[in-house]
Amino acid sequence: MKSTFAECFQCKTLNKINPEKAQTSKPVCGKCSAEIPMHGLVADVGTENFHKVLRNHDGPVVVDFWASWCGPCKMYGPEFQKASVQNTDVVFLKINTETEQQLSAQLGIRGIPCTILFQNTKEIKRQSGAMSAEQVNSFINSR
Ligand SMILES: [Zn+2]
């Protein structure tokens, strides 16, 4: 069965989510019962849960590295979100480079938005700059 992940903003627990269900109703945290805000099927995660997802998910994981001050990131967000609903076999994550500075430095992220595709904990490829949903689709699917 297809699944995706979401971090609870309240207790930071990583929840496994059914993507079909998540599109019709807000997922609820299995630990503290807080509602988890999803943007399409994009989940905001911190560094710890980012590593957890990479370890626990066999399939492709695509990550948007962004920051709140970044104009192109704001334009890119909805496109990334649109692509997430069109690719339910891929896990979509968003990582705030302001709060997760160490991870961003480790991955050598300079320009944002930066989109990186991972599989089996390894980076497959990356793309700097905002993309349209169609471009995200081909970024993911031409591998
Ligand atoms: Zn929770």
Side-chain angles (χ1 to χ4, degrees), residues 8 10-13 15 29 31-34:
C8 174
Q10 195 162 285
C11 71
K12 304 292 174 200
T13 297
N15 286 269
C29 175
K31 196 174 181 194
C32 74
S33 304

Side-chain angles (χ1 to χ4, degrees), residues 91-140:
V91 172
F92 279 69
L93 304 179
K94 257 183 115 135
I95 292 180
N96 187 332
T97 55
E98 288 169 290
T99 57
E100 313 303 324
Q101 289 182 1
Q102 208 183 336
L103 175 67
S104 310
Q106 268 170 16
L107 292 169
I109 289 160
R110 292 190 193 87
I112 49 171
C114 183
T115 310
I116 306 185
L117 183 68
F118 297 91
Q119 187 144 18
N120 301 317
T121 72
K122 283 191 190 70
E123 176 176 338
I124 307 292
K125 57 177 173 175
R126 68 172 68 190
Q127 172 78 45
S128 293
M131 291 186 269
S132 67
E134 287 72 28
Q135 286 171 313
V136 177
N137 285 342
S138 59
F139 174 76
I140 295 168

Side-chain angles (χ1 to χ4, degrees), residues 23-49:
Q23 288 179 67
T24 52
S25 62
K26 264 194 198 153
V28 169
C29 175
K31 196 174 181 194
C32 74
S33 304
E35 276 193 351
I36 299 172
M38 302 278 289
H39 319 285
L41 290 171
V42 181
D44 290 285
V45 294
T47 299
E48 201 180 311
N49 282 330

